Amino acid sequence: MSIHVSLPLLPTHPQETAPPSVLSGKNQTLYDCVLEYFTAVDYTLPNVDQEKAALTVDEKFWLSYECLLRYLRATNWNTDVAIKRLEDTLKWRREFGIYDKITAEYIEPEAKDGKAFIFGYDTHGRPAIHLSPSKLSAEESPRTIQLIIWMAERAFDLMGPGVETLALLVDYADNTRNPSFGLCRTMLNIIQTHYPERLGLALIAHLPWFLNAFITLLTPFMDPHTRQKLVFNPVIDENGLFRTAADAEAWNAHSTSRVFEPGQLIQQSWNGSQRFTYSHCVYWEALVKLCEERRSRMFVVWHRMGGKVGIKEWDFKVAARDETIDVHVDEDGALMENSQLQS
């Protein structure tokens, strides 16, 4: 018998992924060029107040091996363009307030109605962010954009080793209007500019016919890679969630065409077996605690591995997962840890 749940859903069987593959000789040279640029002893962010131009610890943590590769792939391995885009994103993250302003306490009032929440993982191990357009403001709201970005950052905290993308589930059920064109265009620009290769798949369900024109207007602002990841009105049946009707028809017990298993989906609107109800007072505390614990564990391991630019996310995520780490903060505010390998 199923029961109601109001907590973030962790994967029952975490997706096993392979470590990063070895780069070709040419690509390794290009990667090394970008790495050397950001690890230079005298490196500072250009066109920034000199007192704040040095990279912070959080920024070095963000500039992982996989992060540098995401920007290189997104720029077709053009090192100059990749470096420029990385520096633009570093500045944007400061201006947007990723590390100081957009905290759980700051954004919580915007999250109370459950317009955006993280629940479950798909069959590829990607954390799923659920959005309800009917609960979004019809006007462009900075708080709405901040909430969605905060949720994306938390999804990154919850990604297992080898997982770099997230799944977006947008439910238009009971929706009689659409968020403003300005809000959608702003979000699209942020995702494409500052989160390259982070969106794995966007499933838009129950899209009403009268919004087709709106989507048509928005499409020219999408790059081809983003458009390929959008799936409108996917098939949802008792076997799970599929991209297309053809996937559902071809499904069998050994198929991998299902994007989500029934047990990975909420019952309402997505026909899953999870009877999830968004109860803010229960859900929010659990999500914040889970993400803070995950990130703290990774941070401790990353520090132990040298605390520098270019460390592999795979390495510190595997180590953080496989070790018991007791994290605490000393009187000076520094992270301290006692760790012991699990028996």
Side-chain angles (χ1 to χ4, degrees), residues 232-304:
F232 297 99
N233 294 321
V235 173
I236 310 169
D237 64 19
E238 68 277 6
N239 294 318
L241 178 57
F242 302 82
R243 291 182 178 87
T244 66
D247 288 331
E249 291 174 2
W251 178 82
N252 59 61
H254 304 289
S255 173
T256 58
S257 62
R258 287 177 296 183
V259 183
F260 285 85
E261 301 278 356
Q264 297 171 314
L265 291 168
I266 62 176
Q267 192 176 76
Q268 184 178 4
S269 298
W270 297 98
N271 200 34
S273 61
Q274 296 291 336
R275 299 173 65 195
F276 174 82
T277 301
Y278 186 82
S279 174
H280 182 76
C281 61
V282 177
Y283 176 90
W284 188 257
E285 181 180 359
L287 177 68
V288 172
K289 182 179 179 180
L290 176 63
C291 292
E292 287 181 347
E293 192 272 342
R294 288 283 188 93
R295 187 172 180 83
S296 293
R297 288 168 63 88
M298 291 188 291
F299 227 86
V300 164
V301 175
W302 175 80
H303 270 287
R304 187 196 307 155

Side-chain angles (χ1 to χ4, degrees), residues 8-11 15 117-130 151-160 162-169 198-201 260 264 287 291 294 317:
L9 179 69
L10 296 179
Q15 183 77 14
F117 59 87
I118 299 170
F119 186 83
Y121 292 68
D122 70 6
T123 55
H124 297 281
R126 297 176 295 207
I129 297 180
H130 291 251
M151 282 290 176
E153 292 285 330
R154 302 293 70 76
F156 302 148
D157 292 339
L158 298 177
M159 289 176 180
V163 179
E164 298 185 50
T165 60
L166 56 82
L168 187 62
L169 277 68
R198 282 304 213 174
L199 178 63
L201 190 66
F260 285 85
Q264 297 171 314
L287 177 68
C291 292
R294 288 283 188 93
K317 285 185 177 183

Side-chain angles (χ1 to χ4, degrees), residues 19 24 51 75 89 105 148 166 174 203 219 282 316 343:
S24 68
E51 294 183 359
T75 57
T89 295
E105 293 76 18
I148 296 173
L166 56 82
D174 303 321
L203 302 167
T219 299
V282 177
F316 62 70
S343 58

Side-chain angles (χ1 to χ4, degrees), residues 186-235:
T186 299
M187 277 304 309
L188 185 63
N189 180 63
I190 290 174
I191 292 170
Q192 294 181 158
T193 305
H194 301 301
Y195 292 93
E197 301 204 359
R198 282 304 213 174
L199 178 63
L201 190 66
L203 302 167
I204 300 95
H206 311 111
L207 184 69
W209 64 269
F210 58 83
L211 289 178
N212 288 334
F214 179 86
I215 298 299
T216 300
L217 288 173
L218 197 61
T219 299
F221 298 99
M222 302 179 191
D223 65 44
H225 295 294
T226 301
R227 286 200 298 270
Q228 291 174 2
K229 296 172 182 177
L230 303 184
V231 178
F232 297 99
N233 294 321
V235 173

